[in-house]
Amino acid sequence: MSPLTSGLLAAFAFAASALGHGYVTTFTTDGKPNQGFLLDYYYDKVNSGSFPDIAAWYAENLDSGFVAPDAYGTTNISCHKNAAPGALTTTVSAGGSITFQWPANWAHPYGPILTYVAACNGDCSKADKSSLSWVKIDAVGIDYTTQTWASQTLINQAGKWTTKVPLSLKAGNYVFRHEIIALHGASTLNGAQNYPQCFNIAVTGSGSSSLPSGTLGVNLYKNTDPGIYLNPYVTITSYAMPGPTLWTG
Ligand SMILES: *[C@@H]1O[C@H](CO)[C@@H](O)[C@H](O)[C@H]1NC(C)=O
């Protein structure tokens, strides 16, 4: 790609980043719709002290809507800024699917999409985000042949992303952590943008696998990881997926 084209693309990506405000508006578990945490709920909380009881986690992704790599060492990376557990827990079957609906006009086509789970060991509405131990169950980066990032696929799917729940995952209460990492600014250190969102979901079924030991949120990523700090405006022939090893059950 010519420097001029990369420059124009970078400028476009920068302009597009003003659209930010990325969050999951709804998520379906085995086809059943569940409410996502809407920014309006933040204002409901500020103005009236309360907001609806939902399975999605509360978060204050108010500004430009992301967690930057210089905050990877804080609990904000777990479930977004000042996150707190949702009051409810929804259900999904082991082997079933969860479809996350991001804004249909998602504007960042460069970057991977990942989903993690952590066991609550009790009621997920009481979960402590700093001790949740995350196991990666889904991660899609870039198709080397077409140079299509997972984020572009999400845009092509009008903001939808479907994750399969491992068939062998033991029944129980889990927090699912779903995340887009936008890389349009990633050639600058701390220029990537993480958009994590969390959901309380009880897995049902007769799976027999407990999760392997996971990774605390503060240890998931480093700002110098090769999949976080890279120039996305070149042909990518090898992409180092950020975070711990994938577990599919
Ligand atoms: C999380 O982000 C918010 C908003 O930027 C900030 O006020 C808060 O201090 C951060 N929390 C931690 C644990 O760093």
Short mmCIF file of all heavy atoms in Angstrom, two decimals, residues 143-173:
data_model
loop_
_atom_site.label_atom_id
_atom_site.label_comp_id
_atom_site.label_asym_id
_atom_site.label_seq_id
_atom_site.Cartn_x
_atom_site.Cartn_y
_atom_site.Cartn_z
N ASP A 143 -8.46 -12.91 8.30
CA ASP A 143 -8.33 -13.90 7.24
C ASP A 143 -7.18 -13.44 6.35
O ASP A 143 -7.28 -12.39 5.71
CB ASP A 143 -9.66 -13.96 6.46
CG ASP A 143 -9.63 -14.98 5.34
OD1 ASP A 143 -8.64 -15.01 4.57
OD2 ASP A 143 -10.60 -15.75 5.21
N TYR A 144 -6.10 -14.22 6.36
CA TYR A 144 -4.89 -13.78 5.63
C TYR A 144 -5.13 -13.69 4.12
O TYR A 144 -4.51 -12.88 3.45
CB TYR A 144 -3.72 -14.74 5.91
CG TYR A 144 -3.35 -14.81 7.39
CD1 TYR A 144 -3.24 -16.04 8.04
CD2 TYR A 144 -3.13 -13.65 8.12
CE1 TYR A 144 -2.92 -16.11 9.38
CE2 TYR A 144 -2.81 -13.71 9.47
CZ TYR A 144 -2.70 -14.94 10.10
OH TYR A 144 -2.39 -15.01 11.42
N THR A 145 -6.01 -14.51 3.59
CA THR A 145 -6.25 -14.50 2.15
C THR A 145 -7.00 -13.25 1.73
O THR A 145 -6.61 -12.56 0.79
CB THR A 145 -7.07 -15.75 1.74
OG1 THR A 145 -6.41 -16.89 2.28
CG2 THR A 145 -7.18 -15.87 0.24
N THR A 146 -8.07 -12.94 2.45
CA THR A 146 -8.89 -11.79 2.04
C THR A 146 -8.53 -10.52 2.80
O THR A 146 -9.05 -9.45 2.48
CB THR A 146 -10.38 -12.09 2.29
OG1 THR A 146 -10.56 -12.29 3.71
CG2 THR A 146 -10.83 -13.34 1.54
N GLN A 147 -7.65 -10.65 3.83
CA GLN A 147 -7.29 -9.51 4.69
C GLN A 147 -8.53 -8.91 5.38
O GLN A 147 -8.62 -7.70 5.60
CB GLN A 147 -6.52 -8.44 3.89
CG GLN A 147 -5.14 -8.92 3.44
CD GLN A 147 -4.17 -9.11 4.63
OE1 GLN A 147 -3.85 -8.17 5.34
NE2 GLN A 147 -3.71 -10.34 4.84
N THR A 148 -9.48 -9.78 5.68
CA THR A 148 -10.71 -9.33 6.37
C THR A 148 -10.58 -9.61 7.86
O THR A 148 -10.41 -10.75 8.28
CB THR A 148 -11.94 -10.11 5.83
OG1 THR A 148 -11.99 -9.95 4.42
CG2 THR A 148 -13.22 -9.60 6.45
N TRP A 149 -10.65 -8.55 8.67
CA TRP A 149 -10.62 -8.69 10.12
C TRP A 149 -12.00 -9.12 10.63
O TRP A 149 -13.04 -8.82 10.01
CB TRP A 149 -10.26 -7.36 10.77
CG TRP A 149 -8.84 -6.96 10.67
CD1 TRP A 149 -8.29 -6.09 9.77
CD2 TRP A 149 -7.76 -7.36 11.53
NE1 TRP A 149 -6.94 -5.95 10.01
CE2 TRP A 149 -6.59 -6.71 11.09
CE3 TRP A 149 -7.68 -8.22 12.64
CZ2 TRP A 149 -5.35 -6.89 11.71
CZ3 TRP A 149 -6.45 -8.40 13.26
CH2 TRP A 149 -5.30 -7.74 12.79
N ALA A 150 -12.01 -9.74 11.81
CA ALA A 150 -13.27 -10.11 12.46
C ALA A 150 -14.19 -8.89 12.55
O ALA A 150 -15.40 -9.00 12.34
CB ALA A 150 -13.00 -10.68 13.84
N SER A 151 -13.62 -7.71 12.85
CA SER A 151 -14.44 -6.51 12.99
C SER A 151 -15.15 -6.13 11.69
O SER A 151 -16.27 -5.62 11.71
CB SER A 151 -13.60 -5.33 13.45
OG SER A 151 -13.11 -5.59 14.74
N GLN A 152 -14.49 -6.41 10.56
CA GLN A 152 -15.14 -6.15 9.26
C GLN A 152 -16.28 -7.14 9.06
O GLN A 152 -17.36 -6.78 8.57
CB GLN A 152 -14.12 -6.27 8.12
CG GLN A 152 -14.72 -6.06 6.74
CD GLN A 152 -15.27 -4.65 6.55
OE1 GLN A 152 -14.54 -3.66 6.70
NE2 GLN A 152 -16.57 -4.53 6.27
N THR A 153 -16.05 -8.39 9.48
CA THR A 153 -17.12 -9.39 9.38
C THR A 153 -18.32 -8.96 10.23
O THR A 153 -19.46 -9.07 9.79
CB THR A 153 -16.58 -10.77 9.84
OG1 THR A 153 -15.45 -11.09 9.03
CG2 THR A 153 -17.62 -11.85 9.72
N LEU A 154 -18.04 -8.44 11.42
CA LEU A 154 -19.12 -7.95 12.29
C LEU A 154 -19.89 -6.83 11.60
O LEU A 154 -21.13 -6.80 11.62
CB LEU A 154 -18.53 -7.48 13.63
CG LEU A 154 -19.48 -6.83 14.62
CD1 LEU A 154 -19.37 -7.47 15.99
CD2 LEU A 154 -19.24 -5.35 14.74
N ILE A 155 -19.17 -5.93 10.95
CA ILE A 155 -19.83 -4.83 10.22
C ILE A 155 -20.69 -5.41 9.09
O ILE A 155 -21.84 -5.01 8.91
CB ILE A 155 -18.77 -3.84 9.68
CG1 ILE A 155 -18.12 -3.09 10.84
CG2 ILE A 155 -19.39 -2.88 8.66
CD1 ILE A 155 -16.87 -2.30 10.47
N ASN A 156 -20.13 -6.41 8.39
CA ASN A 156 -20.89 -7.05 7.29
C ASN A 156 -22.15 -7.73 7.82
O ASN A 156 -23.10 -7.94 7.08
CB ASN A 156 -20.03 -8.09 6.56
CG ASN A 156 -18.80 -7.48 5.91
OD1 ASN A 156 -18.70 -6.26 5.77
ND2 ASN A 156 -17.86 -8.32 5.51
N GLN A 157 -22.12 -8.13 9.10
CA GLN A 157 -23.26 -8.81 9.72
C GLN A 157 -24.12 -7.83 10.51
O GLN A 157 -24.80 -8.23 11.46
CB GLN A 157 -22.75 -9.94 10.63
CG GLN A 157 -22.04 -11.03 9.82
CD GLN A 157 -21.29 -12.07 10.65
OE1 GLN A 157 -20.83 -13.06 10.08
NE2 GLN A 157 -21.13 -11.86 11.95
N ALA A 158 -24.06 -6.55 10.15
CA ALA A 158 -24.87 -5.51 10.79
C ALA A 158 -24.67 -5.49 12.32
O ALA A 158 -25.62 -5.29 13.08
CB ALA A 158 -26.34 -5.65 10.43
N GLY A 159 -23.42 -5.70 12.75
CA GLY A 159 -23.11 -5.56 14.17
C GLY A 159 -23.28 -6.82 15.00
O GLY A 159 -23.11 -6.79 16.21
N LYS A 160 -23.61 -7.93 14.35
CA LYS A 160 -23.83 -9.18 15.11
C LYS A 160 -22.58 -10.04 15.16
O LYS A 160 -21.85 -10.17 14.19
CB LYS A 160 -24.92 -10.02 14.43
CG LYS A 160 -26.31 -9.49 14.63
CD LYS A 160 -27.32 -10.50 14.09
CE LYS A 160 -28.74 -10.13 14.47
NZ LYS A 160 -29.09 -8.75 14.16
N TRP A 161 -22.36 -10.68 16.31
CA TRP A 161 -21.28 -11.66 16.46
C TRP A 161 -21.79 -12.83 17.27
O TRP A 161 -22.34 -12.65 18.35
CB TRP A 161 -20.06 -11.04 17.17
CG TRP A 161 -18.89 -11.97 17.08
CD1 TRP A 161 -18.47 -12.87 18.02
CD2 TRP A 161 -18.02 -12.11 15.95
NE1 TRP A 161 -17.39 -13.56 17.53
CE2 TRP A 161 -17.09 -13.11 16.27
CE3 TRP A 161 -17.95 -11.49 14.70
CZ2 TRP A 161 -16.09 -13.51 15.39
CZ3 TRP A 161 -16.94 -11.88 13.82
CH2 TRP A 161 -16.02 -12.88 14.19
N THR A 162 -21.61 -14.03 16.74
CA THR A 162 -22.10 -15.22 17.44
C THR A 162 -20.94 -16.05 17.97
O THR A 162 -19.99 -16.33 17.25
CB THR A 162 -22.99 -16.06 16.50
OG1 THR A 162 -24.12 -15.27 16.12
CG2 THR A 162 -23.49 -17.33 17.19
N THR A 163 -21.03 -16.40 19.24
CA THR A 163 -20.04 -17.23 19.92
C THR A 163 -20.71 -18.54 20.32
O THR A 163 -21.84 -18.52 20.82
CB THR A 163 -19.55 -16.50 21.20
OG1 THR A 163 -18.89 -15.31 20.82
CG2 THR A 163 -18.62 -17.37 22.02
N LYS A 164 -20.01 -19.63 20.10
CA LYS A 164 -20.55 -20.93 20.50
C LYS A 164 -20.06 -21.25 21.91
O LYS A 164 -18.88 -21.05 22.23
CB LYS A 164 -20.03 -21.97 19.51
CG LYS A 164 -20.77 -23.28 19.53
CD LYS A 164 -20.33 -24.11 18.32
CE LYS A 164 -20.47 -25.60 18.50
NZ LYS A 164 -21.41 -26.12 19.45
N VAL A 165 -20.96 -21.73 22.74
CA VAL A 165 -20.59 -22.13 24.10
C VAL A 165 -20.01 -23.54 24.02
O VAL A 165 -20.63 -24.42 23.41
CB VAL A 165 -21.84 -22.13 25.02
CG1 VAL A 165 -21.48 -22.55 26.44
CG2 VAL A 165 -22.51 -20.76 25.00
N PRO A 166 -18.83 -23.78 24.60
CA PRO A 166 -18.25 -25.14 24.51
C PRO A 166 -19.24 -26.21 24.99
O PRO A 166 -19.84 -26.06 26.05
CB PRO A 166 -17.02 -25.07 25.42
CG PRO A 166 -16.64 -23.61 25.41
CD PRO A 166 -17.95 -22.86 25.32
N LEU A 167 -19.39 -27.25 24.18
CA LEU A 167 -20.37 -28.31 24.46
C LEU A 167 -20.07 -29.02 25.78
O LEU A 167 -20.97 -29.45 26.50
CB LEU A 167 -20.35 -29.31 23.30
CG LEU A 167 -21.32 -30.49 23.38
CD1 LEU A 167 -22.75 -30.01 23.46
CD2 LEU A 167 -21.14 -31.40 22.16
N SER A 168 -18.79 -29.13 26.11
CA SER A 168 -18.44 -29.90 27.31
C SER A 168 -18.43 -29.04 28.58
O SER A 168 -18.18 -29.55 29.67
CB SER A 168 -17.05 -30.52 27.12
OG SER A 168 -16.08 -29.50 27.08
N LEU A 169 -18.71 -27.74 28.45
CA LEU A 169 -18.62 -26.87 29.64
C LEU A 169 -19.68 -27.26 30.68
O LEU A 169 -20.87 -27.35 30.38
CB LEU A 169 -18.79 -25.40 29.23
CG LEU A 169 -18.68 -24.36 30.36
CD1 LEU A 169 -17.33 -24.45 31.07
CD2 LEU A 169 -18.90 -22.95 29.80
N LYS A 170 -19.18 -27.47 31.87
CA LYS A 170 -20.02 -27.89 32.99
C LYS A 170 -21.09 -26.84 33.31
O LYS A 170 -20.82 -25.64 33.25
CB LYS A 170 -19.08 -28.00 34.20
CG LYS A 170 -19.50 -28.92 35.27
CD LYS A 170 -18.31 -29.03 36.24
CE LYS A 170 -18.64 -29.88 37.41
NZ LYS A 170 -17.44 -30.10 38.22
N ALA A 171 -22.27 -27.31 33.67
CA ALA A 171 -23.35 -26.39 34.04
C ALA A 171 -22.92 -25.53 35.23
O ALA A 171 -22.18 -26.01 36.11
CB ALA A 171 -24.61 -27.19 34.38
N GLY A 172 -23.36 -24.31 35.25
CA GLY A 172 -23.02 -23.42 36.37
C GLY A 172 -23.15 -21.96 35.96
O GLY A 172 -23.53 -21.65 34.83
N ASN A 173 -22.83 -21.11 36.91
CA ASN A 173 -22.94 -19.66 36.69
C ASN A 173 -21.62 -19.09 36.20
O ASN A 173 -20.58 -19.28 36.84
CB ASN A 173 -23.32 -18.96 37.99
CG ASN A 173 -24.71 -19.33 38.45
OD1 ASN A 173 -25.57 -19.67 37.63
ND2 ASN A 173 -24.95 -19.27 39.75
#
